[in-house]
């Protein structure tokens, strides 16, 4: 499903909010079972005038969660270059540019290295029209020395900064999805 429930329905029905957030942010148990109820019951939720405002509120609540729980929501996003098991929107977004097999293989390696470097995180980036090939150098920079991957502690500033960047990019992805649907 790639169409959002009407905004008024989303503001009145927690199940519709869960559907909308799953479409915009990628479905995950943490999102449906924990984040959606918190958003739905937040005092300012009913006064949201747009899906964009709902995304802002959702991110505000998410950023207040413990880092491990934020990482669980991030982990619901597909890896860059994955081609199987994608949500309808992720499939459409990732299929928009044909990617040479060698780039897909490189991304697979980089995803593994990234997840070694940042245990518990998944590399998320707002692609914004860039090809997967253009993402490779950005991932290489994050991974660092591939021959000597040193895992970051979840307590380190570097790991926390990377989590914060990923959460912000999830919001950017969600707002881009809204824009492509012609919804505010």
């Amino acid at each position: 499903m790639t169409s959002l429930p009407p905004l008024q329905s989303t503001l009145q029905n927690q199940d519709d909010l869960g559907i909308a957030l799953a479409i915009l942010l990628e479905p995950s148990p943490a999102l449906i079972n924990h984040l959606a109820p918190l958003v739905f019951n937040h005092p300012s939720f009913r006064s949201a005038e747009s899906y964009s405002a709902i995304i802002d509120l959702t991110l505000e609540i998410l950023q207040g969660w413990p880092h491990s729980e934020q990482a669980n929501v991030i982990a619901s996003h597909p890896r860059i270059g994955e081609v199987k098991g994608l949500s309808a929107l992720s499939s459409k977004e990732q299929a928009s540019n044909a990617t040479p097999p060698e780039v897909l293989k490189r991304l697979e390696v980089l995803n593994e290295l990234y997840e070694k470097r940042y245990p518990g995180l998944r590399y998320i980036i707002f692609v914004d029209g860039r090809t997967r090939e253009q993402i490779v150098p950005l991932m290489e920079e994050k991974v660092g020395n591939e021959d000597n991957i040193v895992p970051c502690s979840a307590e380190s500033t570097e790991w926390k900064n990377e989590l914060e960047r990923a959460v912000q990019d999830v919001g950017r992805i969600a707002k881009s999805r809204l824009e492509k649907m012609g919804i505010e």
Side-chain angles (χ1 to χ4, degrees):
M1 176 181 200
T2 56
S3 60
L4 295 173
L7 179 62
Q8 284 308 313
S9 176
T10 298
L11 292 172
Q12 297 169 6
N13 183 308
Q14 186 174 315
D15 289 340
D16 283 353
L17 173 63
I19 290 167
L21 292 179
I23 290 169
L24 296 170
L25 302 176
E26 291 296 317
S28 78
L31 183 130
I32 300 299
N33 299 326
H34 303 291
L35 187 55
L38 289 174
V39 172
F40 190 78
N41 292 309
H42 192 277
S44 68
F45 174 69
R46 299 282 185 291
S47 62
E49 295 183 1
S50 66
Y51 268 108
S52 184
I54 291 173
I55 291 169
D56 290 341
L57 176 60
T58 301
L59 293 177
E60 178 185 319
I61 292 169
L62 178 60
Q63 290 167 333
W65 279 14
H67 295 131
S68 61
E69 291 182 38
Q70 290 181 50
N72 285 337
V73 172
I74 295 303
S76 67
H77 264 264
R79 290 173 178 89
I80 296 288
E82 276 187 331
V83 293
K84 294 181 182 173
L86 302 176
S87 71
L89 284 177
S90 285
S91 182
K92 186 177 178 180
E93 291 161 356
Q94 295 217 22
S96 62
N97 293 312
T99 304
E102 63 275 8
V103 173
L104 290 176
K105 182 63 181 159
R106 180 68 180 141
L107 288 171
E108 184 179 337
V109 168
L110 288 169
N111 279 312
E112 289 175 21
L113 294 171
Y114 176 89
E115 290 170 21
K116 243 185 201 178
R117 175 102 177 114
Y118 300 98
L121 296 183
R122 181 164 291 174
Y123 185 74
I124 302 294
I125 189 165
F126 178 50
V127 174
D128 195 24
R130 294 175 282 189
T131 65
R132 290 176 178 151
E133 195 165 12
Q134 291 171 311
I135 299 302
V136 168
L138 301 173
M139 286 186 78
E140 289 171 338
E141 184 178 326
K142 284 286 177 195
V143 165
N145 182 351
E146 294 179 36
D147 297 324
N148 187 27
I149 298 295
V150 177
C152 289
S153 161
E155 299 306 313
S156 71
T157 300
E158 182 179 352
W159 191 94
K160 290 175 186 175
N161 287 344
E162 187 59 13
L163 174 63
E164 183 179 328
R165 185 201 59 75
V167 168
Q168 289 172 355
D169 272 11
V170 164
R172 294 173 70 201
I173 292 164
K175 287 192 175 185
S176 175
R177 288 175 173 181
L178 280 177
E179 185 178 312
K180 289 175 183 165
M181 290 178 195
I183 299 172
E184 183 185 341

